[in-house]
Amino acid sequence: MVDHDTGPVLTVEEGGSKLGIKEFAASRGLELVLGDEFSCDSQVDDVHIIGYELDWDSPAFLKEVERAKQSKADAYRQLCEVLTEEGMPLDYGQDILIYTDLQGIQRHRTPEEVQRKHIFEAMARKGYAASWSEAKLMVRDNPRLNVPRKKVSPLEAINIIKGGGGLAVLAHPYLIDEQVDSEILGRVTRLEYIDKLIEAGLDGMESCYTYDKTTYKGTLSRQQVQQEVESRYKGKVRFFTGGSDYHNDAKKGAANPRLIGEAGISYRQFKSIFA
């Protein structure tokens, strides 16, 4: 499984040698599920559709990966320009493409490797926000800063996943605002939006999630969200799943970091999905 339009990770480097991802997983006794996470809908935040058991060689998938990389590169460069214009100087080349890793070694990213979180982390380092998560909120809630990029339609993402033999799953559904204005699906409520995704062939939904450690705007506890999602969508989707959305936040100074395995599912539930 890879994060947000980064494309397939086909090899793992170990001891100076490269192993195929399937070979590496087998050597560790791991059950590997190939997947990808699609950021969808340019007008609506946090519409993320995961493709599990996705064919990484599917031409439609590979074409979308390349399109998304270019779209992100263009938008993130523009975000740095807008931040600079707004009195928060951020040099795309020096502050984003060049970075220092956890071992203190200076490294370089390609434009295609840049994630928005890298920009948020740079904003925090420069003192424009107290933390990367506060920088994220600052950008999200300011129309001038929230530079949109051209994201894939959620309906097309579902088609790509299903066409590649995968299972389409909606991540963290309650991060979607209660009322949205989508160029693709119209001005609708969150519930209406999700219903349209189900009609398009959505297989599953993430019911268990670390809402209390993210940018969730509602008042329900994570347990209440899980109960509501599973009650509302039982029989409408084939299965429910969960996850921490782990990003190694502790290394970035988050006071309440998400942990690997937090808000996950049992092995029995895993096997029932991927039998």
Side-chain angles (χ1 to χ4, degrees), residues 4 14 19 26 28 45 56 70 72 80 103 113 117 138 143 161 168 172 175 199 204 235-236 241 271 273:
H4 292 289
E14 184 178 49
L19 292 175
R28 294 296 191 275
D45 287 330
W56 279 0
Q70 186 59 55
K72 288 169 67 174
C80 290
Q103 286 71 47
E113 292 172 327
K117 193 172 182 181
M138 180 193 302
I161 293 166
H172 42 62
L175 286 188
E199 291 170 10
K236 294 184 177 181
T241 185
K271 293 301 287 186
I273 296 170

Side-chain angles (χ1 to χ4, degrees), residues 138-241:
M138 180 193 302
V139 170
R140 186 197 69 183
D141 295 336
N142 184 330
R144 169 70 174 147
L145 300 180
N146 198 1
V147 177
R149 64 182 177 89
K150 185 62 178 176
K151 299 176 185 176
V152 67
S153 155
L155 307 183
E156 178 61 20
I158 291 172
N159 284 336
I160 292 170
I161 293 166
K162 307 282 276 190
L167 300 171
V169 177
L170 177 63
H172 42 62
Y174 276 39
L175 286 188
I176 299 173
D177 286 344
E178 291 188 14
Q179 181 78 41
V180 299
D181 193 357
S182 167
E183 194 172 83
I184 300 159
L185 299 179
R187 177 176 285 276
V188 293
T189 65
R190 176 201 293 144
L191 301 181
E192 291 169 332
Y193 192 98
I194 293 173
D195 282 345
K196 290 178 184 290
L197 301 184
I198 292 172
E199 291 170 10
L202 196 69
D203 294 292
M205 197 176 302
E206 198 172 63
S207 63
C208 187
Y209 181 74
T210 50
Y211 287 102
D212 53 330
K213 297 183 178 183
T214 61
T215 54
Y216 171 56
K217 298 177 183 178
T219 59
L220 299 178
S221 68
R222 70 163 77 170
Q223 292 81 11
Q224 288 172 321
V225 173
Q226 181 175 0
Q227 291 169 1
E228 187 165 301
V229 167
E230 293 184 2
S231 173
R232 184 180 300 277
Y233 296 105
K234 183 178 180 180
K236 294 184 177 181
V237 293
R238 289 170 48 197
F239 58 85
F240 298 103
T241 185

Side-chain angles (χ1 to χ4, degrees), residues 48-84:
H48 300 161
I49 296 180
I50 302 167
Y52 288 120
E53 294 193 318
L54 181 63
D55 178 7
W56 279 0
D57 293 320
S58 162
F61 168 61
L62 293 175
K63 181 178 179 181
E64 170 54 27
V65 166
E66 292 308 311
R67 188 212 61 78
K69 284 181 180 179
Q70 186 59 55
S71 173
K72 288 169 67 174
D74 294 343
Y76 297 163
R77 184 188 296 272
Q78 185 181 351
L79 173 55
C80 290
E81 294 171 356
V82 172
L83 285 166
T84 299

Side-chain angles (χ1 to χ4, degrees), residues 129-140:
S131 66
W132 74 264
S133 55
E134 291 193 20
K136 177 181 179 179
L137 292 174
M138 180 193 302
V139 170
R140 186 197 69 183

Side-chain angles (χ1 to χ4, degrees), residues 33-139:
V33 177
L34 298 184
D36 196 73
E37 185 172 13
F38 296 75
S39 296
C40 304
D41 202 329
S42 301
Q43 284 75 41
V44 184
D45 287 330
D46 293 309
V47 180
H48 300 161
I49 296 180
I50 302 167
Y52 288 120
E53 294 193 318
L54 181 63
D55 178 7
W56 279 0
D57 293 320
S58 162
F61 168 61
L62 293 175
K63 181 178 179 181
E64 170 54 27
V65 166
E66 292 308 311
R67 188 212 61 78
K69 284 181 180 179
Q70 186 59 55
S71 173
K72 288 169 67 174
D74 294 343
Y76 297 163
R77 184 188 296 272
Q78 185 181 351
L79 173 55
C80 290
E81 294 171 356
V82 172
L83 285 166
T84 299
E85 292 170 3
E86 292 295 306
M88 293 175 277
L90 208 59
D91 185 275
Y92 183 74
Q94 295 299 314
D95 296 322
I96 306 302
L97 297 186
I98 298 174
Y99 69 101
T100 302
D101 69 13
L102 296 177
Q103 286 71 47
I105 301 172
Q106 191 175 84
R107 298 189 182 277
H108 292 76
R109 297 184 180 98
T110 67
E112 292 76 20
E113 292 172 327
V114 175
Q115 302 293 316
R116 278 221 304 182
K117 193 172 182 181
H118 298 146
I119 298 175
F120 302 149
E121 289 167 359
M123 291 172 65
R125 284 197 308 272
K126 286 179 169 286
Y128 306 147
S131 66
W132 74 264
S133 55
E134 291 193 20
K136 177 181 179 179
L137 292 174
M138 180 193 302
V139 170

